[in-house]
Protein backbone atom coordinates (compact mmCIF):
# COMPACT_ATOMS: atom_id res chain seq x y z
CA UNK A 1 0.00 0.00 0.00
CA UNK A 2 1.16 3.55 -0.63
CA UNK A 3 1.08 6.16 2.12
CA UNK A 4 -1.86 7.97 0.52
CA UNK A 5 -4.27 5.04 0.73
CA UNK A 6 -6.75 4.19 3.44
CA UNK A 7 -8.03 0.75 4.25
CA UNK A 8 -10.94 -1.10 5.78
CA UNK A 9 -10.23 -2.81 9.08
CA UNK A 10 -12.28 -4.77 11.58
CA UNK A 11 -12.01 -3.50 15.14
CA UNK A 12 -13.72 -3.81 18.52
CA UNK A 13 -15.44 -0.52 19.31
CA UNK A 14 -16.41 0.50 22.84
CA UNK A 15 -19.34 2.87 22.34
CA UNK A 16 -20.61 3.36 25.90
CA UNK A 17 -19.42 3.11 29.50
CA UNK A 18 -19.31 -0.55 30.53
CA UNK A 19 -20.73 -1.58 27.13
CA UNK A 20 -19.81 -4.50 24.92
CA UNK A 21 -16.82 -4.58 22.60
CA UNK A 22 -18.64 -4.45 19.25
CA UNK A 23 -16.89 -5.70 16.13
CA UNK A 24 -17.30 -3.14 13.34
CA UNK A 25 -15.87 -2.43 9.90
CA UNK A 26 -13.97 0.86 10.07
CA UNK A 27 -11.63 2.89 7.90
CA UNK A 28 -8.01 3.47 8.91
CA UNK A 29 -5.89 6.09 7.20
CA UNK A 30 -2.41 5.32 5.89
CA UNK A 31 0.76 5.88 7.97
CA UNK A 32 2.26 9.37 7.92
CA UNK A 33 5.82 10.52 8.65
CA UNK A 34 7.12 8.35 11.54
CA UNK A 35 4.07 6.09 11.71
CA UNK A 36 4.00 2.37 11.04
CA UNK A 37 1.06 0.26 9.90
CA UNK A 38 0.93 -3.10 11.65
CA UNK A 39 -1.02 -6.17 10.60
CA UNK A 40 -2.07 -7.41 14.01
CA UNK A 41 -1.45 -11.09 14.72
CA UNK A 42 -2.71 -11.07 18.32
CA UNK A 43 -3.48 -8.60 21.12
CA UNK A 44 -3.44 -9.20 24.86
CA UNK A 45 -6.26 -7.93 27.02
CA UNK A 46 -5.14 -6.08 30.14
CA UNK A 47 -7.14 -4.99 33.15
CA UNK A 48 -6.50 -1.42 31.97
CA UNK A 49 -8.64 -2.04 28.84
CA UNK A 50 -11.50 -2.95 31.16
CA UNK A 51 -11.13 0.01 33.51
CA UNK A 52 -11.16 2.30 30.47
CA UNK A 53 -14.22 0.51 29.05
CA UNK A 54 -15.82 1.18 32.46
CA UNK A 55 -14.54 4.80 32.34
CA UNK A 56 -12.49 4.69 35.56
CA UNK A 57 -9.96 6.30 33.26
CA UNK A 58 -11.82 8.78 31.05
CA UNK A 59 -10.81 7.94 27.47
CA UNK A 60 -13.50 9.57 25.29
CA UNK A 61 -15.93 7.15 23.61
CA UNK A 62 -16.54 5.68 21.12
CA UNK A 63 -13.04 4.26 21.11
CA UNK A 64 -10.97 1.36 19.85
CA UNK A 65 -9.01 0.07 22.86
CA UNK A 66 -6.35 -2.67 22.94
CA UNK A 67 -2.78 -1.92 23.92
CA UNK A 68 -0.85 -5.19 23.89
CA UNK A 69 -0.62 -5.69 20.14
CA UNK A 70 1.86 -7.89 18.28
CA UNK A 71 2.09 -8.13 14.54
CA UNK A 72 3.97 -7.62 11.31
CA UNK A 73 4.95 -4.30 9.76
CA UNK A 74 2.77 -3.82 6.69
CA UNK A 75 3.80 -0.29 5.66
CA UNK A 76 5.95 2.54 6.99
CA UNK A 77 5.70 6.32 6.78
CA UNK A 78 8.32 8.28 4.80
CA UNK A 79 10.37 9.27 7.87
CA UNK A 80 10.69 5.77 9.34
CA UNK A 81 14.29 4.55 9.30
CA UNK A 82 14.59 1.70 11.81
CA UNK A 83 11.75 -0.60 10.80
CA UNK A 84 11.03 -2.42 7.55
CA UNK A 85 8.02 -4.11 6.03
CA UNK A 86 7.89 -7.67 7.33
CA UNK A 87 9.51 -6.96 10.69
CA UNK A 88 7.89 -8.65 13.69
CA UNK A 89 6.97 -6.08 16.32
CA UNK A 90 5.44 -5.77 19.78
CA UNK A 91 3.58 -2.50 20.36
CA UNK A 92 4.21 -0.71 23.64
CA UNK A 93 3.15 2.57 25.25
CA UNK A 94 3.41 5.93 23.47
CA UNK A 95 5.69 8.79 24.54
CA UNK A 96 6.79 12.10 23.07
CA UNK A 97 10.55 11.40 23.03
CA UNK A 98 11.24 15.07 23.67
CA UNK A 99 10.58 15.95 27.34
CA UNK A 100 12.82 15.78 30.43
CA UNK A 101 11.61 12.29 31.41
CA UNK A 102 12.07 10.91 27.89
CA UNK A 103 15.52 12.54 27.63
CA UNK A 104 16.45 10.91 30.96
CA UNK A 105 15.54 7.44 29.64
CA UNK A 106 12.30 7.23 31.63
CA UNK A 107 9.75 7.53 28.83
CA UNK A 108 7.01 5.85 30.88
CA UNK A 109 6.93 9.07 32.92
CA UNK A 110 6.74 11.18 29.74
CA UNK A 111 5.18 14.56 30.48
CA UNK A 112 2.70 13.83 27.70
CA UNK A 113 1.99 10.25 28.85
CA UNK A 114 -1.71 10.77 29.55
CA UNK A 115 -2.26 12.74 26.35
CA UNK A 116 -0.38 10.22 24.21
CA UNK A 117 -2.00 7.12 25.68
CA UNK A 118 -5.45 8.08 26.99
CA UNK A 119 -6.69 11.12 25.05
CA UNK A 120 -8.23 9.11 22.19
CA UNK A 121 -6.47 11.18 19.55
CA UNK A 122 -3.10 11.51 17.89
CA UNK A 123 -0.50 14.19 18.72
CA UNK A 124 -2.12 16.29 15.97
CA UNK A 125 -5.45 16.17 17.82
CA UNK A 126 -7.09 13.98 15.19
CA UNK A 127 -8.30 10.40 14.89
CA UNK A 128 -7.02 8.07 12.18
CA UNK A 129 -10.15 5.89 12.30
CA UNK A 130 -13.63 6.56 10.88
CA UNK A 131 -16.76 4.46 11.33
CA UNK A 132 -19.24 3.36 8.66
CA UNK A 133 -20.99 6.77 8.90
CA UNK A 134 -17.69 8.59 8.38
CA UNK A 135 -17.58 9.71 12.03
CA UNK A 136 -14.22 9.70 13.88
CA UNK A 137 -13.67 6.95 16.44
CA UNK A 138 -11.26 7.69 19.31
CA UNK A 139 -8.01 5.86 18.80
CA UNK A 140 -4.26 6.06 19.47
CA UNK A 141 -5.00 4.18 22.73
CA UNK A 142 -1.50 3.55 24.09
CA UNK A 143 -0.33 4.71 20.69
CA UNK A 144 -1.92 1.71 18.94
CA UNK A 145 -5.66 0.85 19.49
CA UNK A 146 -4.86 -2.75 18.65
CA UNK A 147 -8.21 -4.52 19.22
CA UNK A 148 -8.24 -4.49 15.44
CA UNK A 149 -7.00 -6.31 12.38
CA UNK A 150 -4.60 -3.42 11.63
CA UNK A 151 -3.20 -0.65 13.82
CA UNK A 152 -1.09 2.46 13.41
CA UNK A 153 1.73 3.10 15.84
CA UNK A 154 4.74 5.37 15.79
CA UNK A 155 8.18 4.05 15.00
CA UNK A 156 9.29 4.65 18.59
CA UNK A 157 6.68 2.43 20.22
CA UNK A 158 6.89 -0.50 17.81
CA UNK A 159 9.58 -2.82 19.17
CA UNK A 160 11.23 -5.22 16.73
CA UNK A 161 11.48 -8.76 18.13
CA UNK A 162 13.16 -11.96 17.03
CA UNK A 163 11.44 -13.90 14.25
CA UNK A 164 12.31 -17.06 16.17
CA UNK A 165 9.87 -16.16 18.94
CA UNK A 166 6.13 -17.05 18.73
CA UNK A 167 4.72 -13.65 17.71
CA UNK A 168 1.12 -14.43 18.70
CA UNK A 169 2.23 -14.84 22.31
CA UNK A 170 4.28 -11.66 22.63
CA UNK A 171 1.72 -8.81 22.75
CA UNK A 172 1.32 -8.80 26.56
CA UNK A 173 5.02 -7.98 26.86
CA UNK A 174 4.05 -4.50 25.66
CA UNK A 175 2.19 -3.65 28.88
CA UNK A 176 1.10 -6.03 31.66
CA UNK A 177 4.06 -8.38 31.62
CA UNK A 178 6.73 -5.70 31.25
CA UNK A 179 5.00 -3.75 34.04
CA UNK A 180 5.34 -6.56 36.60
CA UNK A 181 8.77 -7.68 35.48
CA UNK A 182 10.08 -4.14 35.02
CA UNK A 183 8.81 -3.03 38.42
CA UNK A 184 10.98 -5.72 40.02
CA UNK A 185 14.04 -5.45 37.77
CA UNK A 186 14.14 -1.78 36.70
CA UNK A 187 12.47 0.10 39.53
CA UNK A 188 12.64 -1.83 42.81
CA UNK A 189 15.90 -3.49 41.73
CA UNK A 190 15.17 -6.54 43.85
CA UNK A 191 18.48 -7.95 45.09
CA UNK A 192 19.81 -11.52 45.47
CA UNK A 193 18.87 -13.01 48.83
CA UNK A 194 16.11 -10.46 49.46
CA UNK A 195 12.51 -10.89 50.57
CA UNK A 196 9.77 -9.87 48.10
CA UNK A 197 5.98 -9.91 48.25
CA UNK A 198 3.50 -9.51 45.35
CA UNK A 199 0.14 -8.21 46.54
CA UNK A 200 -2.10 -9.47 43.73
CA UNK A 201 -1.19 -12.48 41.60
CA UNK A 202 -2.81 -11.46 38.33
CA UNK A 203 -0.82 -11.09 35.12
CA UNK A 204 1.18 -8.19 36.54
CA UNK A 205 1.80 -9.75 39.97
CA UNK A 206 2.82 -13.13 38.54
CA UNK A 207 5.21 -11.44 36.11
CA UNK A 208 6.73 -9.79 39.17
CA UNK A 209 7.04 -13.18 40.86
CA UNK A 210 8.91 -14.60 37.83
CA UNK A 211 11.18 -11.55 37.74
CA UNK A 212 11.88 -11.77 41.48
CA UNK A 213 13.10 -15.33 40.95
CA UNK A 214 15.35 -14.15 38.11
CA UNK A 215 16.64 -11.34 40.36
CA UNK A 216 17.58 -13.88 43.03
CA UNK A 217 15.11 -13.07 45.82
CA UNK A 218 15.07 -16.02 48.19
CA UNK A 219 11.72 -15.33 49.88
CA UNK A 220 9.00 -14.68 47.29
CA UNK A 221 5.46 -14.34 48.64
CA UNK A 222 2.34 -14.04 46.48
CA UNK A 223 -1.00 -12.85 47.92
CA UNK A 224 -4.33 -13.22 46.11
CA UNK A 225 -7.97 -14.25 46.58
CA UNK A 226 -7.95 -16.95 43.88
CA UNK A 227 -6.50 -20.35 44.77
CA UNK A 228 -5.58 -21.30 41.19
CA UNK A 229 -3.45 -18.13 40.88
CA UNK A 230 -1.67 -18.94 44.12
CA UNK A 231 -0.95 -22.46 42.84
CA UNK A 232 0.48 -21.01 39.64
CA UNK A 233 2.54 -18.55 41.68
CA UNK A 234 4.23 -21.51 43.41
CA UNK A 235 4.98 -23.04 40.01
CA UNK A 236 6.46 -19.75 38.76
CA UNK A 237 8.81 -19.16 41.66
CA UNK A 238 6.90 -18.11 44.78
CA UNK A 239 8.26 -19.72 47.91
CA UNK A 240 5.11 -18.93 49.91
CA UNK A 241 1.51 -17.98 49.08
CA UNK A 242 -1.20 -16.35 51.18
CA UNK A 243 -4.95 -16.35 50.53
CA UNK A 244 -6.04 -12.80 51.30
CA UNK A 245 -9.45 -13.90 52.57
CA UNK A 246 -8.07 -16.13 55.31
CA UNK A 247 -6.56 -14.33 58.31
CA UNK A 248 -4.32 -11.29 58.61
CA UNK A 249 -2.21 -10.89 55.48
CA UNK A 250 0.20 -8.44 57.12
CA UNK A 251 0.86 -10.70 60.12
CA UNK A 252 1.45 -13.69 57.85
CA UNK A 253 3.85 -11.80 55.54
CA UNK A 254 5.82 -10.45 58.50
CA UNK A 255 5.97 -13.92 60.03
CA UNK A 256 7.21 -15.56 56.80
CA UNK A 257 9.68 -12.79 56.09
CA UNK A 258 11.05 -12.58 59.62
CA UNK A 259 9.89 -9.02 60.38
CA UNK A 260 8.84 -7.78 56.96
CA UNK A 261 9.83 -7.81 53.32
CA UNK A 262 12.49 -5.68 51.62
CA UNK A 263 10.40 -5.15 48.49
CA UNK A 264 6.69 -5.38 47.71
CA UNK A 265 4.47 -4.69 44.71
CA UNK A 266 0.80 -3.64 44.91
CA UNK A 267 -1.09 -4.69 41.75
CA UNK A 268 -4.68 -5.02 42.99
CA UNK A 269 -5.57 -1.34 42.61
CA UNK A 270 -7.21 -1.42 46.07
CA UNK A 271 -6.29 1.23 48.68
CA UNK A 272 -6.68 -1.20 51.59
CA UNK A 273 -4.18 -3.56 49.96
CA UNK A 274 -1.78 -0.68 49.40
CA UNK A 275 -1.96 -0.12 53.16
CA UNK A 276 -1.19 -3.82 53.74
CA UNK A 277 1.79 -3.50 51.46
CA UNK A 278 3.26 -0.63 53.48
CA UNK A 279 2.56 -2.39 56.79
CA UNK A 280 4.22 -5.60 55.55
CA UNK A 281 7.53 -3.88 54.72
CA UNK A 282 10.52 -4.28 56.98
CA UNK A 283 12.84 -1.37 57.79
CA UNK A 284 13.99 0.53 54.68
CA UNK A 285 11.58 -1.53 52.59
CA UNK A 286 10.12 -0.21 49.33
CA UNK A 287 6.57 -0.69 48.07
CA UNK A 288 6.02 -0.29 44.33
CA UNK A 289 2.49 0.72 43.32
CA UNK A 290 1.23 -0.35 39.89
CA UNK A 291 -2.45 -1.21 40.56
CA UNK A 292 -4.68 1.48 39.07
CA UNK A 293 -7.90 2.47 40.88
CA UNK A 294 -10.30 5.18 39.64
CA UNK A 295 -8.71 8.61 39.19
CA UNK A 296 -8.92 10.57 42.46
CA UNK A 297 -8.72 7.50 44.75
CA UNK A 298 -6.95 8.21 48.06
CA UNK A 299 -5.25 5.79 50.46
CA UNK A 300 -4.36 6.02 54.16
CA UNK A 301 -1.25 4.86 55.99
CA UNK A 302 0.46 5.38 59.35
CA UNK A 303 2.86 8.28 58.79
CA UNK A 304 5.11 7.36 61.70
CA UNK A 305 5.38 3.76 60.56
CA UNK A 306 6.64 5.05 57.22
CA UNK A 307 8.90 7.63 58.79
CA UNK A 308 10.44 5.58 61.60
CA UNK A 309 10.85 2.52 59.38
CA UNK A 310 12.57 4.49 56.61
CA UNK A 311 10.03 2.98 54.22
CA UNK A 312 9.33 4.21 50.69
CA UNK A 313 6.32 4.10 48.40
CA UNK A 314 7.07 4.31 44.70
CA UNK A 315 4.56 4.73 41.87
CA UNK A 316 5.52 2.78 38.76
CA UNK A 317 4.32 3.08 35.17
CA UNK A 318 5.04 0.29 32.67
CA UNK A 319 7.81 -1.08 34.85
CA UNK A 320 9.91 1.99 34.02
CA UNK A 321 10.81 0.02 30.90
CA UNK A 322 12.70 1.29 27.91
CA UNK A 323 10.55 -0.97 25.78
CA UNK A 324 13.06 -1.29 22.93
CA UNK A 325 15.59 -2.79 25.29
CA UNK A 326 13.46 -4.53 27.87
CA UNK A 327 10.99 -6.37 25.64
CA UNK A 328 13.71 -8.15 23.59
CA UNK A 329 15.38 -9.08 26.91
CA UNK A 330 12.12 -10.62 28.16
CA UNK A 331 11.74 -12.48 24.85
CA UNK A 332 15.25 -13.89 25.29
CA UNK A 333 14.52 -14.94 28.88
CA UNK A 334 11.33 -16.63 27.65
CA UNK A 335 13.21 -18.46 24.87
CA UNK A 336 15.71 -19.69 27.49
CA UNK A 337 12.84 -21.04 29.63
CA UNK A 338 13.57 -18.63 32.47
CA UNK A 339 10.50 -16.42 32.07
CA UNK A 340 7.59 -18.75 31.19
CA UNK A 341 4.89 -16.09 30.80
CA UNK A 342 3.07 -18.35 28.33
CA UNK A 343 1.66 -20.08 31.43
CA UNK A 344 -0.46 -16.97 32.07
CA UNK A 345 -1.96 -16.88 28.57
CA UNK A 346 -5.25 -18.24 27.20
CA UNK A 347 -5.89 -17.67 23.48
CA UNK A 348 -9.27 -16.57 22.12
CA UNK A 349 -10.44 -15.82 18.59
CA UNK A 350 -10.78 -12.07 18.14
CA UNK A 351 -14.51 -12.58 17.56
CA UNK A 352 -14.78 -13.94 21.12
CA UNK A 353 -13.52 -10.72 22.73
CA UNK A 354 -16.60 -10.46 24.98
CA UNK A 355 -15.99 -13.97 26.31
CA UNK A 356 -12.36 -13.08 26.94
CA UNK A 357 -13.39 -10.00 28.93
CA UNK A 358 -15.93 -11.97 30.96
CA UNK A 359 -13.46 -14.76 31.72
CA UNK A 360 -10.84 -12.22 32.75
CA UNK A 361 -13.24 -10.42 35.09
CA UNK A 362 -14.36 -13.67 36.68
CA UNK A 363 -10.78 -14.71 37.33
CA UNK A 364 -11.12 -17.71 34.99
CA UNK A 365 -8.46 -16.39 32.62
CA UNK A 366 -5.29 -14.61 33.69
CA UNK A 367 -4.14 -13.09 30.45
CA UNK A 368 -6.47 -13.40 27.45
CA UNK A 369 -4.79 -13.02 24.08
CA UNK A 370 -7.05 -12.35 21.10
CA UNK A 371 -5.83 -14.03 17.93
CA UNK A 372 -6.66 -12.71 14.48
CA UNK A 373 -7.56 -15.31 11.88
CA UNK A 374 -4.71 -15.90 9.44
P1 LIG B 1 -5.65 -8.72 37.42
O1 LIG B 1 -7.08 -8.39 37.66
O2 LIG B 1 -5.30 -9.93 36.62
O3 LIG B 1 -4.86 -8.85 38.82
C1 LIG B 1 -5.27 -8.30 40.02
C2 LIG B 1 -5.25 -9.42 41.06
O4 LIG B 1 -5.53 -8.87 42.35
C3 LIG B 1 -6.30 -10.50 40.80
O5 LIG B 1 -5.67 -11.76 40.69
C4 LIG B 1 -7.20 -10.43 42.03
O6 LIG B 1 -7.71 -11.69 42.42
C5 LIG B 1 -6.23 -9.87 43.06
N1 LIG B 1 -6.91 -9.27 44.23
C6 LIG B 1 -8.07 -8.60 44.28
N2 LIG B 1 -8.33 -8.22 45.55
C7 LIG B 1 -7.28 -8.63 46.30
C8 LIG B 1 -6.96 -8.52 47.67
N3 LIG B 1 -7.78 -7.89 48.54
N4 LIG B 1 -5.80 -9.05 48.10
C9 LIG B 1 -4.97 -9.69 47.24
N5 LIG B 1 -5.23 -9.83 45.92
C10 LIG B 1 -6.38 -9.31 45.47
O7 LIG B 1 -5.02 -7.44 36.74
P2 LIG B 1 -3.57 -7.25 36.06
O8 LIG B 1 -3.72 -7.34 34.60
O9 LIG B 1 -2.58 -8.10 36.77
O10 LIG B 1 -3.34 -5.71 36.41
C11 LIG B 1 -3.16 -5.35 37.77
C12 LIG B 1 -3.35 -3.85 37.94
O11 LIG B 1 -2.27 -3.16 37.35
C13 LIG B 1 -4.62 -3.28 37.31
O12 LIG B 1 -5.12 -2.28 38.18
C14 LIG B 1 -4.10 -2.64 36.03
O13 LIG B 1 -4.96 -1.60 35.58
C15 LIG B 1 -2.77 -2.13 36.50
N6 LIG B 1 -1.74 -1.90 35.48
C16 LIG B 1 -0.90 -0.87 35.73
C17 LIG B 1 0.12 -0.63 34.86
C18 LIG B 1 1.09 0.46 35.17
O14 LIG B 1 1.86 0.84 34.29
N7 LIG B 1 1.12 0.98 36.39
C19 LIG B 1 0.30 -1.44 33.72
C20 LIG B 1 -0.55 -2.53 33.53
C21 LIG B 1 -1.57 -2.75 34.43
Amino acid sequence: MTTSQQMTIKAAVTREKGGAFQLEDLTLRAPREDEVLIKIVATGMCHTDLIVRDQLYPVPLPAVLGHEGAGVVEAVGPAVTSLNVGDHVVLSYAYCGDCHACDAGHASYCEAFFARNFSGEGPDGEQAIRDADGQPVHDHFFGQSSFATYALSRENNAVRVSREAPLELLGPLGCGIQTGAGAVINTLRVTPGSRFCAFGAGAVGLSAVMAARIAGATTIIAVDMIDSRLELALELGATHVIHAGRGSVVERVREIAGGGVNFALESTGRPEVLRQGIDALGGLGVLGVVGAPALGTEAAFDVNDLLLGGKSIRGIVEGDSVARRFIPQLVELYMQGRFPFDKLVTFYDFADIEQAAADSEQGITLKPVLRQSR
Side-chain angles (χ1 to χ4, degrees):
M1 109 182 242
T2 71
T3 52
S4 62
Q5 290 173 328
Q6 58 180 27
M7 65 189 307
T8 301
I9 64 168
K10 195 170 279 298
V13 183
T14 301
R15 289 203 168 265
E16 57 187 24
K17 177 179 176 178
F21 294 105
Q22 301 175 32
L23 294 191
E24 296 185 22
D25 289 330
L26 306 170
T27 303
L28 178 67
R29 69 156 169 75
R32 296 175 180 156
E33 297 304 316
D34 64 345
E35 289 179 336
V36 186
L37 177 70
I38 312 298
K39 181 174 170 38
I40 297 294
V41 169
T43 306
M45 178 179 278
C46 172
H47 197 79
T48 307
D49 293 303
L50 304 180
I51 67 173
V52 170
R53 177 201 62 185
D54 297 340
Q55 295 284 278
L56 272 67
Y57 272 28
V59 174
L61 303 179
V64 176
L65 305 178
H67 64 289
E68 293 184 342
V72 180
V73 175
E74 178 91 0
V76 297
V80 171
T81 56
S82 64
L83 290 171
N84 295 304
V85 171
D87 282 346
H88 289 192
V89 290
V90 169
L91 303 181
S92 193
Y93 63 88
Y95 56 96
C96 74
D98 203 25
C99 66
H100 290 301
C102 288
D103 280 348
H106 297 284
S108 66
Y109 306 102
C110 170
E111 289 164 19
F113 191 88
F114 215 87
R116 294 286 173 137
N117 293 284
F118 293 102
S119 66
E121 61 190 30
D124 57 3
E126 290 180 7
Q127 287 77 30
I129 296 179
R130 296 281 180 278
D131 68 11
D133 297 328
Q135 295 302 312
V137 178
H138 293 95
D139 60 5
H140 287 83
F141 184 58
F142 276 83
Q144 52 185 284
S145 289
S146 54
F147 284 158
T149 48
Y150 288 84
L152 282 178
S153 81
R154 286 180 73 200
E155 182 178 17
N156 72 4
N157 65 301
V159 178
R160 185 168 41 230
V161 290
S162 164
R163 284 168 190 252
E164 307 297 313
L167 187 54
E168 63 181 13
L169 181 66
L170 304 185
L173 294 176
C175 179
I177 308 275
Q178 81 171 344
T179 293
V184 165
I185 292 171
N186 302 323
T187 316
L188 297 176
R189 295 177 182 265
V190 167
T191 47
S194 63
R195 304 178 301 267
F196 170 77
C197 182
F199 288 84
V204 172
L206 289 174
S207 300
V209 164
M210 288 186 279
R213 175 162 70 174
I214 291 168
T218 43
T219 299
I220 302 175
I221 306 167
V223 185
D224 205 287
M225 310 285 282
I226 303 175
D227 284 318
S228 58
R229 296 189 175 191
L230 297 175
E231 282 158 25
L232 184 56
L234 287 170
E235 201 183 315
L236 296 175
T239 55
H240 302 77
V241 292
I242 299 171
H243 191 291
R246 300 176 195 146
S248 163
V249 172
V250 173
E251 273 177 29
R252 188 76 189 106
V253 173
R254 295 187 70 85
E255 189 181 288
I256 293 167
V261 287
N262 307 111
F263 305 99
L265 188 69
E266 172 358 71
S267 69
T268 71
R270 304 173 75 98
E272 71 275 17
V273 180
L274 189 149
R275 169 68 191 259
Q276 291 174 1
I278 300 168
D279 291 349
L281 292 174
L284 297 171
V286 188
L287 172 72
V289 180
V290 294
L295 291 184
T297 301
E298 298 189 356
F301 59 88
D302 179 336
V303 176
N304 281 301
D305 172 57
L306 189 86
L307 186 158
L308 297 170
K311 299 179 179 182
S312 311
I313 309 170
R314 170 72 200 267
I316 304 170
V317 177
E318 296 291 334
D320 201 0
S321 306
V322 175
R324 281 198 172 187
R325 293 204 180 162
F326 196 54
I327 289 175
Q329 287 168 1
L330 292 178
V331 170
E332 187 65 26
L333 285 164
Y334 166 73
M335 300 293 272
Q336 291 178 1
R338 297 164 68 197
F339 188 70
F341 74 97
D342 57 314
K343 295 203 167 139
L344 313 185
V345 167
T346 304
F347 286 107
Y348 294 79
D349 288 339
F350 183 49
D352 296 328
I353 183 168
E354 274 296 296
Q355 188 64 51
D359 288 354
S360 169
E361 285 180 303
Q362 288 168 30
I364 296 168
T365 298
L366 257 162
K367 173 55 74 181
V369 172
L370 304 164
R371 254 192 304 222
Q372 297 293 342
S373 49
R374 289 161 214 212

